Amino acid sequence: MRKLIITEFISVDGIAEVEKLPSVAWNDEMQKFKDDELADSGAMLLGRTTYEIFAGSWPKETGDFADRFNALPKYVASTSLTALDWQPAELLQGALPDAVRGLKQGSGGNIYVHGSLSVAQELLRHGLVDRIRLLSYPGAVGQGKLLFPPGAQLPLELISARQFSNGVVALEYAAGMGKP
């Protein structure tokens, strides 16, 4: 069975809006973290907004990472999109939890949710997330969109934690089972 893995850039106070994060220099340690994710990826699951942002930029990128990232199958959760230009891609049909349960039963490697906070939150609520991988930026933002909404309770088991030379900390957790 495929694992569903949420991957986010996040502040220490839980804000997962990339544009609000403290500025740090991207470095080889962060690149290796992302390279390892890509090597483990069989597909990506994206919400509409993240899909549109990625589709507007990734196809223009070049190099080995971009080639492999662009080639990944993409599953898109959207009720408003009717066509997907960044291929290979497929619009999910029906209720998101049911569609994801079906995807997890398939083959082809793990499924990564990049960004896509509303999708990530719904999957967490339904107990469909196996792992959470975070790049925690050194600083509190104060306000913005939280990965874990107020009142959310989710048991997590720390798998690994590693501080990078730029102050970013890579964290990986096994997610506890939520309510179905």
Side-chain angles (χ1 to χ4, degrees), residues 42-99:
M44 62 179 100
L45 171 58
L46 306 169
R48 178 196 54 81
T49 301
T50 303
Y51 172 82
E52 289 177 332
I53 291 167
F54 282 13
S57 62
W58 275 104
K60 299 171 193 162
E61 297 295 324
T62 59
D64 180 59
F65 186 94
D67 292 345
R68 291 182 294 137
F69 195 75
N70 284 318
L72 280 175
K74 298 149 209 46
Y75 299 103
V76 182
S78 173
T79 56
S80 60
L81 290 176
T82 57
L84 302 172
D85 296 328
W86 186 33
Q87 294 292 317
E90 174 184 328
L91 279 169
L92 293 178
Q93 302 298 314
L96 180 62
D98 295 336

Side-chain angles (χ1 to χ4, degrees), residues 28-42:
D28 291 342
E29 296 159 306
M30 292 173 74
Q31 188 60 52
K32 181 171 181 346
F33 182 88
K34 288 312 216 179
D35 286 339
D36 290 348
E37 282 185 349
L38 184 57
D40 185 55
S41 293

Side-chain angles (χ1 to χ4, degrees), residues 3 34 65 68 81 85 121 127 135 140-141 143 152 166 179:
K3 288 182 183 164
K34 288 312 216 179
F65 186 94
R68 291 182 294 137
L81 290 176
D85 296 328
Q121 290 170 348
L135 284 177
V141 177
Q143 63 180 347
N166 61 1
K179 296 178 182 177

Side-chain angles (χ1 to χ4, degrees), residues 10-30:
I10 194 165
S11 64
V12 295
D13 58 345
I15 305 302
E17 291 183 73
V18 173
E19 61 278 358
K20 292 185 177 183
L21 295 176
S23 179
V24 299
W26 189 267
N27 66 16
D28 291 342
E29 296 159 306
M30 292 173 74

